[in-house]
Amino acid sequence: MSYPLDWDTSLGEQEKRPALQVGPVYGVLPYNGYRNPLTRSSTTHRISMTIGTPATRGQRKIFHFDGEREMAVALEALLSPELHHLEVQLPPVEYRGWNGRLRKHSFDLRITFRDKFRRAVFVRNGTSLKKQRTLDEIEAIFAATPKSFADDKIVVNGDDYTQGYRDNLLRIWSATESENPDLDAYVLDRARNTSFWLMQDLISQCDHLQGETTDAIFRLIGQGRLGVNRHTVICKNSRIWLT
């Protein structure tokens, strides 16, 4: 099947197009970020997801992420029982750049915890974070960010979220969307009272379907009760341990 020539992304720089608009989704809250990042990019995978948080009482809401690293940081935050609210594509903060001119920066994420503490998150790749100009820019942005916007600001090195880590976070998050506290408690008890080395060893010690037990193990990993190397694909042959 042939495609129009301007669809061929191997041709380098492509014609700029408007950001993709996601229409209403039944039963899902609409996206409400300040900006829409769903534009065409030859270097970044834009991502759109539906996520429920305590702030929405579990009702799913549309979230748009600039890339996989920003998504991974959000998923890691969502796994914390202390998270209450998640925001992306925040309204810009005005700051004075290295050349003295006024510039604007939108934080990638803002996390609100159950105690109402708010944290703004700046995500950038490791190469950029090694540059003095980037460090000066971050310092200026943080200094210009008012207390009314966030209680604190942090920098996250996106390179820490390897492909394996990101894939595992997605699998852990998928498992946590199906809650089963009784099964989780049962699997954790078996982990505490039996001998195992690999995930498949623990699965064999449990009197439940393999798929159900595997999901419980993923949830326990997400809760920090079981440890695993998150930078390699988590599977039945993975080494896991009690934390």
Side-chain angles (χ1 to χ4, degrees):
M1 179 178 180
S2 61
Y3 293 96
L5 190 60
D6 61 357
W7 286 23
D8 185 352
T9 58
S10 67
L11 297 178
E13 191 70 25
Q14 300 291 296
E15 177 187 351
K16 188 173 182 180
R17 299 205 176 158
L20 176 67
Q21 299 293 326
V22 176
V25 179
Y26 179 75
V28 177
L29 297 173
Y31 173 73
N32 66 347
Y34 179 83
R35 56 180 285 270
N36 182 353
L38 299 185
T39 55
R40 180 162 58 183
S41 172
S42 60
T43 58
T44 303
H45 294 152
R46 311 299 192 193
I47 295 173
S48 186
M49 299 175 63
T50 59
I51 297 170
T53 64
T56 63
R57 298 181 181 180
Q59 184 176 3
R60 289 181 174 274
K61 177 181 174 182
I62 296 173
F63 287 81
H64 298 329
F65 297 101
D66 268 317
E68 294 176 295
R69 292 176 175 86
E70 290 80 4
M71 173 207 69
V73 175
L75 290 182
E76 194 168 61
L78 288 162
L79 291 174
S80 169
E82 298 306 313
L83 179 136
H84 175 70
H85 188 35
L86 175 70
E87 298 167 272
V88 296
Q89 311 303 333
L90 282 304
V93 171
E94 273 200 349
Y95 69 101
R96 203 163 291 280
W98 62 272
N99 58 2
R101 295 180 180 177
L102 282 176
R103 302 188 67 184
K104 294 182 179 181
H105 173 78
S106 291
F107 278 92
D108 298 288
L109 310 166
R110 182 166 59 189
I111 301 164
T112 302
F113 296 92
R114 292 184 184 274
D115 62 2
K116 298 184 179 179
F117 187 89
R118 294 169 305 156
R119 172 167 293 155
V121 184
F122 181 107
V123 183
R124 189 66 65 86
N125 65 73
T127 300
S128 178
L129 290 175
K130 292 178 182 178
K131 298 176 180 178
Q132 188 59 48
R133 181 174 292 185
T134 301
L135 300 178
D136 292 343
E137 176 188 39
I138 292 171
E139 183 179 359
I141 292 169
F142 281 19
T145 303
K147 192 72 174 178
S148 60
F149 184 89
D151 296 294
D152 79 347
K153 292 84 61 181
I154 64 169
V155 177
V156 174
N157 186 339
D159 292 354
D160 292 339
Y161 294 82
T162 60
Q163 183 66 60
Y165 197 175
R166 298 196 300 267
D167 290 346
N168 287 328
L169 279 172
L170 280 169
R171 298 177 70 194
I172 293 169
W173 172 250
S174 178
T176 62
E177 298 215 277
S178 299
E179 296 183 0
N180 193 333
D182 292 338
L183 178 57
D184 294 354
Y186 167 78
V187 174
L188 183 59
D189 179 73
R190 300 303 290 165
R192 287 171 172 165
N193 294 285
T194 62
S195 298
F196 63 94
W197 184 259
L198 305 178
M199 182 188 288
Q200 63 183 356
D201 299 334
L202 180 55
I203 292 172
S204 68
Q205 302 280 2
C206 300
D207 298 324
H208 286 267
L209 294 175
Q210 179 174 321
E212 293 177 347
T213 304
T214 300
D215 281 349
I217 291 173
F218 271 102
R219 287 193 291 270
L220 291 171
I221 291 171
Q223 295 164 18
R225 296 175 180 270
L226 289 176
V228 69
N229 182 353
R230 295 195 183 193
H231 292 281
T232 60
V233 176
I234 302 174
C235 66
K236 65 180 182 179
N237 295 316
S238 294
R239 164 80 172 105
I240 60 173
W241 57 88
L242 280 165
T243 58

